[in-house]
Amino acid sequence: MHIDAVDLNLLRPLQLLLRERHVSRAAARANLTQSAMSRALARLRVACDDELLVRTPTGYQLTPRARVIQDELATVMPTLRSLFEGGSFDPATAADTVRIAGSDFAVTILGDDLFPRFTRAAPNMSLSIASMAPSTFDDLDQGRLDLVLTPLVAPGNLRRRMLFTEDFVCVLSASHPVTADRLTLAQLGEHPHATVAGMFPQQTIVVGQLERLGVHATTEVRVPYFTAAIAAVRRTELIAVLPRRLAERHADASIRIAEAPPEITGLSYGMYWHPRLDADPVQRWLRQLVVQVSGVATARHHRDGDAPLAGRGVR
């Protein structure tokens, strides 16, 4: 079918159908009835000469052509939005869905301010948070994600802005035989660890540092989340080396927080996005919001950090 015969109003329903792989959910995102979205899908199938969505026992799946179209739309839609909307985006009336990937640490630290500010400023928009996974940077490259919050080094074709830095502390059970207020590398090597795998199926950031320092710590428990690592150390002899703010937030009488050896360096958390989204007004607003809440969270941390450790329930 020639492009002149295609209704460009179908581009947004097409993008939502391919993203949601569900007619009802896509209709809700587009503020359409289910029957209207079904009619749009029928028209799109004719226009693309392809089924696009194929029903399977586990739900709709994309056809090979639909996957190609989805990848192309990830580039085309931000360009069209920038072309026609310019800088006129208003979050108060927008109905977009934005998707961010990050660890539970990053989401916890920024979420206190990100979630209320997002919902107040953009009551009709949706924010979807995904865990880090081996496919995360590919998802960002292909338009399935809008932002990634991570200390990892991403592929060179992505944009990056540094958000905050974070140091590590050691989290132990309150009954752990090691009672020092600052652990040594030798002590970390003598006791088993609870480590956070995340995107690292073989080696975590902390384990990698220890290996380079000549410390071969035993990982006895491997978990996907930082908060799960805190649960793992309770009433065990495991040690978890975790970001300070997350550890302090979850401190209680059952755990103890000790300083990490000075040889263990901290993290620099960055925000990554694809260059095609540089000028997209929705994405510019989202990035500005994340930068703002990161600054607020960092200022709060520095202010609270002036209080003595004993006053925050840790040693």
Side-chain angles (χ1 to χ4, degrees):
M1 181 177 291
H2 194 277
I3 183 63
D4 291 341
V6 177
D7 183 356
L8 295 183
N9 289 318
L10 292 173
L11 286 179
R12 179 61 173 162
L14 174 60
Q15 184 183 42
L16 291 171
L17 283 163
L18 299 184
R19 177 184 293 171
E20 298 295 337
R21 303 184 188 187
H22 194 282
V23 174
S24 297
R25 288 199 299 266
R29 296 293 187 201
N31 290 320
L32 296 174
T33 64
Q34 182 173 341
S35 59
M37 184 59 77
S38 295
R39 290 194 296 272
L41 176 58
R43 295 175 62 193
L44 286 163
R45 283 169 166 164
V46 172
C48 297
D49 192 23
D50 188 86
E51 282 296 295
L52 300 175
L53 295 172
V54 178
R55 190 184 296 276
T56 72
T58 58
Y60 281 110
Q61 297 297 322
L62 302 186
T63 66
R65 170 130 174 84
R67 287 194 291 270
V68 172
I69 292 173
Q70 185 179 45
D71 291 344
E72 292 297 327
L73 284 176
T75 300
V76 170
M77 293 302 286
T79 301
L80 290 175
R81 190 201 311 270
S82 178
L83 177 65
F84 290 105
E85 296 182 5
S88 62
F89 169 71
D90 181 3
T93 58
D96 299 72
T97 296
V98 292
R99 290 169 165 79
I100 299 176
S103 69
D104 58 328
F105 163 66
V107 175
T108 296
I109 295 305
L110 300 182
D112 283 346
D113 299 292
L114 176 62
F115 297 134
R117 289 188 183 211
F118 182 93
T119 55
R120 286 197 300 266
N124 299 312
M125 289 181 63
S126 297
L127 172 61
S128 176
I129 304 293
S131 300
M132 298 294 292
S135 64
T136 292
F137 290 131
D138 286 339
D139 291 337
L140 186 63
D141 187 63
Q142 297 300 319
R144 292 183 288 270
L145 288 170
D146 300 302
L147 284 180
V148 173
L149 311 176
T150 181
L152 299 179
V153 177
N157 66 313
L158 300 176
R159 298 274 198 261
R160 179 182 187 270
R161 174 161 179 165
M162 202 276 280
L163 294 175
F164 60 85
T165 59
E166 186 76 12
D167 62 337
F168 288 108
V169 294
C170 301
V171 182
L172 311 87
S173 169
S175 60
H176 199 283
V178 175
T179 59
D181 289 334
R182 179 183 291 277
L183 273 62
T184 65
L185 290 175
Q187 288 170 324
L188 288 181
E190 292 167 358
H191 293 270
H193 286 230
T195 60
V196 181
M199 285 183 66
F200 312 94
Q202 303 300 325
Q203 192 179 69
T204 70
I205 289 177
V206 172
V207 171
Q209 287 197 43
L210 291 174
E211 292 284 343
R212 289 190 292 273
L213 292 166
V215 178
H216 304 288
T218 300
T219 294
E220 189 168 305
V221 173
R222 187 186 301 270
V223 295
Y225 310 114
F226 288 100
T227 47
I230 295 177
V233 305
R234 290 188 170 98
R235 299 185 299 279
T236 72
E237 292 193 8
L238 298 171
I239 297 174
V241 184
L242 303 174
R244 179 182 298 276
R245 276 184 279 181
L246 184 109
E248 292 181 352
R249 174 174 293 223
H250 293 276
D252 58 35
S254 67
I255 65 171
R256 188 174 67 80
I257 299 175
E259 297 296 331
E263 295 89 345
I264 295 181
T265 58
L267 299 174
S268 175
Y269 256 81
M271 172 177 68
Y272 289 94
W273 68 95
H274 197 281
R276 67 171 171 267
L277 301 177
D278 280 347
D280 183 87
V282 176
Q283 300 299 319
R284 285 204 310 267
W285 173 80
L286 178 64
R287 294 194 298 269
Q288 290 169 358
L289 179 62
V290 171
V291 169
Q292 290 169 2
V293 299
S294 175
V296 171
T298 299
R300 182 188 303 114
H301 174 56
H302 289 162
R303 183 181 66 247
D304 294 344
D306 293 335
L309 284 176
R312 288 182 280 159
V314 297
R315 291 177 59 185

